[in-house]
Amino acid sequence: MKVAVIGGGPGGLYAAALLKRLDPDREITLWERNAPDDTFGFGVVLSDETLGGIEHADPEVYEALQRDFVRWDDIDIVQRGVTHRSTGHGFAALGRRRLLEILHARCRSLGVDIRFRTEAPSPDRLSASYDLVIAADGVRSTVRETYPQEFRPQVSEHRCRYIWLAADFAFDAFRFEIAETGHGPMQLHGYPYAADASTVIVEMREEVWKAAGFDEITPHESIEACAKIFADALRGRPLRSHRSAWTTFRTVVNDRWSHGNVVLLGDAAHTAHFSIGSGTKLAVEDALALAACLSEQPTLEAALTAYEEERKPVVASTQRAARASLEWFENLPLYLGQPPRQFAFNLLTRSRRVTHDNLRLRDAHFTEAVEREFGCPSGTPPMFMPFRLRGLTLRNRVVVSPMDMYSAVDGVPGDFHLVHLGARALGGAGLVMTEMVCVSDQGRITPGCTGLYTGRQAEAWRRVTDFVHTQAPGTAIGVQLGHSGRKGSTKLMWEGIDEPLPRGNWPLVAASPLPYKPGSQTPRQLSRAQLTDIREQFTAAAWRAARAGFDLLELHCAHGYLLSGFLSPLTNRRTDAYGGSPERRLRFPLEVFDAVRAVWPAERPMTVRISATDWAEGGTTAEDAVEIARAFAAHGVDAIDVSTGQVVAEERPEFGRSYQTPFADRIRNSAGVPVIAVGAISSWDDVNSLILAGRTDLCALGRPHLYDPHWTLHAAAEQGYEGPGVHWPAPYRAGGRRPQTGRTDAPKPRLTLGS
């Protein structure tokens, strides 16, 4: 096999070395446009996981790296003159130039032909002359740009400027320092990479960078200014650069990673923000996987397919973590008012990869100090702290999220609802929410939706609330009121979600006469008189909800249902007083809120669920959501339940663990209103992490409660908690200890070669 490698960074070099070591008969040529010692970074951080893969695949490279690594365990977070140190993190770093020297030497010893200061031939020419072309040519990949229709790249630039520098001394920890200047906050990321040298990255929002005048001074003047701003961190020492320049980070995602015999690797295929230190790690792991797949698969085509299938999910997970970290630093001003120790915890858990439980294993002393500052009694996880909403005190921070069951007859909740909601109330959550309860028969989503538009329905709901209050004392039960709008008159979810009924349809109404998707029924635009009628339907339902014994009422203004349809510019095309500007689009939802608040008992709280983004161009944005939350807060809402999407059928959500929580975080810390976070929060560790970091006040979980009705009780048992934040029903106390399980073996190393 003849292999061409374009790009002499760590990924390209390591791929060349591995492929040559696996089969010495391979003819491997690598092109690098720069000189051997020409590198634009300073230090490289590698994880123990990556090093383990290198050790098994090539002990010689591993031993060479080991001799030069600088290792440390601590992270320092410096904010407003206060330093908090967290330990137990386990970093290993070395100079990027030294890493390249080791890989150069390994490639030469194996017989790889490296051509420095040489532009690679065109990708078309290489693919015609070689069996395999590895494009490791970086974030601005020529190969990727040559085949845009095949790789389908998406490149996003972000809001911060940064510059990559170095200092001639070694930090004794990974250091994050915040400087609050007259122009805005700036941050330093620093870590040692040799006994006498450290990487220093200075980063700030674009508007801060311009306000400070960095766009008008020379690179040398920039470096001197950064050294002065962070003089304490640098101990008064200067900074140096190697052709360093201010830049913005570019996130690269590709739909496909291979085209014919050409394959992308490292930054050419994907990038992950430097704040989680994964660029070199990902490139090296790409090389390991590609080499393994080429050895395991019978054909090149099968190998490249296997490589992409193996690496894409791993990279996507890392990119989600990197995006969360990047956005945390972009939104740094939101957190500067936090107590320094909570700020430090928030920073450490920003990517959602380090969690409360994980951090407690690494550094129990630091984590317990954060908990004490938060107000947790000894042995009380954050999720079991009480929370007060108006006259209602929830005994813990767990909410059973509203989940449509589509199991009612004529809007009446039956035995299924009693068992469904009753079981989850017995399961220990602080608040159990009903599904969306419709305010009229024509406001239903499906024929199976529950309602509160008749006295019979209210009586049936009273049966449920009585059970909860009697059999699960201390658990609150809330009702979510809504109207389907243009998303009504559809089949039950399992018969065809959002598909129109084949018969028995009812007319639909909405803010504007726009069908939800092709084939959907077109709604009528609501007149002024109809708006009044619907507002009265909401108030009548709220009055019945109060009589039925609900403790909390939530107004459903999300997911493209009627009130949500007024809020989004994609679904509200009105030209009257209820459409156009954000203030006008808010008018009807606020009118309904005010009317419901007027009949809802004053001591009982009201929340509002919103879609904080439409996940579609031209729709509601995170910034819009903050203003929507502020408007409801001004009208007396007690908390905002922050969901996203389902407003338009053409949405493109960015799914992932806890993927909606950043929107709740932004609203809480921008608008100053309590929030309920939702969206793929699946573990009690996530709940503890989000609450302790100050990103949310309550966490709503849906699917986990479908999987395990007693999710909260089990979370308490698994954490050894037996305090007042959870109540085991007497008949269930014997189940308060986690059952034993069998052992599981760790996965084997990805690629093991003989020495």
Side-chain angles (χ1 to χ4, degrees), residues 567-586:
L567 293 173
S568 172
L570 296 178
T571 52
N572 185 342
R573 306 288 177 80
R574 301 174 72 101
T575 57
D576 63 2
Y578 293 95
S581 69
E583 294 76 19
R584 289 186 173 188
R585 296 199 307 273
L586 264 161

Side-chain angles (χ1 to χ4, degrees), residues 470-515:
T470 303
Q471 301 298 326
T475 296
I477 181 164
V479 61
Q480 185 188 71
L481 292 184
H483 187 296
S484 62
R486 68 177 187 153
K487 295 179 75 174
S489 193
T490 60
K491 297 177 181 178
L492 303 183
M493 180 179 65
W494 47 87
E495 294 176 352
I497 189 168
D498 295 324
E499 292 295 326
L501 290 169
R503 66 188 65 84
N505 295 93
W506 54 86
L508 302 183
V509 294
S512 298
L514 304 170

Side-chain angles (χ1 to χ4, degrees), residues 302-324:
L304 297 187
T305 298
Y307 160 71
E308 186 170 336
E309 289 176 349
E310 176 179 333
R311 291 298 295 158
K312 256 191 163 180
V314 176
V315 168
S317 175
T318 302
Q319 287 188 311
R320 284 194 296 270
R323 181 74 177 244

Side-chain angles (χ1 to χ4, degrees), residues 172-188:
D172 61 355
F174 206 128
R175 187 180 183 97
F176 294 99
E177 180 157 342
I178 312 303
E180 295 183 61
T181 73
H183 309 292
M186 306 176 185
Q187 57 258 21
L188 174 147

Side-chain angles (χ1 to χ4, degrees), residues 67-85:
R67 289 191 291 271
D68 284 278
F69 268 129
V70 175
R71 292 185 177 272
W72 74 99
D73 291 325
D74 300 334
I75 298 176
D76 284 347
I77 296 100
V78 186
Q79 182 215 12
R80 296 184 174 175
V82 179
T83 301
H84 286 292
R85 172 165 288 192

